[in-house]
Amino acid sequence: MGCGESTLKFSLFVLNILCFIFGVLTLSACIYALIEFEFCEAVKIPCILGCILSSILFLNSILGCCGAYHSAVHLTWIYSIIMLLLMGAQIAVIFLQPVDFHKVATEFVDKVWNDTDISNEYLMSSYEIKYECCGRFGPNDYKMMNETIPTSCYIYHNNTIATNLFEDGCIDKMTEMYSTNQRVEDISDWTLVGLEGLCAVIGCMMAITMKNVQRRKYYH
């Protein structure tokens, strides 16, 4: 085995391990999101696509390692083609089916707001305390329903001081929190695209190198 082939094999193994880890983490995150936000339509399609693509990714990573280990030219070509297709599919999902975190926040808060009743009066309050917000869009939500603004809408639950009132609605607050998730998702998505592209290139180089080695052995 030449130095070039050894280097390509080692690189492909390392990249496939990274892809495997990415695939498992992405699959876990998508499954968690589908369970945690099962009532959010904004999550379903992107996460289902994420589950499919991440499953193919870590399975293809195993295929790539097997192809490199056994110096299987055809297997490595199949791996490289699948990785290129995955990269294209990943880019398509990024542009065509991104997670709308504002919609996720809206659907989530609406569900909590509608489920809050006399028997479960603390459901909305727990989120108002956690995110330091009030109502869906603001304190006026309670006023429009002719209800007293709960103490959960105030700093330290102290409603004796008007300035203690949280003016922001929970939808805006949760959207703001999710914006951080959006940045993390964008970075991880494009990192994965780059990783898949690199794997495809290294895989093609590996397949060509192995084919050349086999030819030289045949002529000798």
Side-chain angles (χ1 to χ4, degrees), residues 131-170:
Y131 296 106
E132 297 186 345
C133 55
C134 187
R136 293 164 65 243
F137 301 104
N140 284 334
D141 289 337
Y142 290 103
K143 294 177 182 178
M144 290 173 63
M145 297 175 64
N146 294 320
E147 291 188 10
T148 304
I149 298 175
T151 56
S152 56
C153 284
Y154 292 86
I155 300 174
Y156 305 123
H157 297 194
N158 185 357
N159 59 0
T160 60
I161 303 175
T163 55
N164 281 356
L165 180 64
F166 299 133
E167 297 292 344
D168 295 325
C170 291

Side-chain angles (χ1 to χ4, degrees), residues 59-113:
L59 289 174
N60 195 46
S61 300
I62 297 173
L63 181 67
C65 287
C66 292
Y69 180 77
H70 294 289
S71 297
V73 177
H74 295 299
L75 203 61
T76 305
W77 275 119
I78 292 171
Y79 157 82
S80 301
I81 292 169
I82 293 174
M83 199 61 82
L84 278 174
L85 293 174
L86 275 173
M87 184 181 68
Q90 184 75 22
I91 293 172
V93 169
I94 289 172
F95 286 107
L96 300 178
Q97 282 294 338
V99 177
D100 187 342
F101 285 102
H102 177 71
K103 190 175 180 182
V104 172
T106 301
E107 290 183 359
F108 184 84
V109 174
D110 282 346
K111 178 72 165 53
V112 174
W113 179 266

Side-chain angles (χ1 to χ4, degrees), residues 30-31 33-35 37-52 97-100 103-104 107:
C30 288
I31 292 174
L34 286 171
I35 295 172
F37 302 99
E38 59 180 345
F39 49 83
C40 292
E41 294 297 325
V43 166
K44 287 184 180 178
I45 294 178
C47 284
I48 290 173
L49 290 174
C51 286
I52 294 171
Q97 282 294 338
V99 177
D100 187 342
K103 190 175 180 182
V104 172
E107 290 183 359

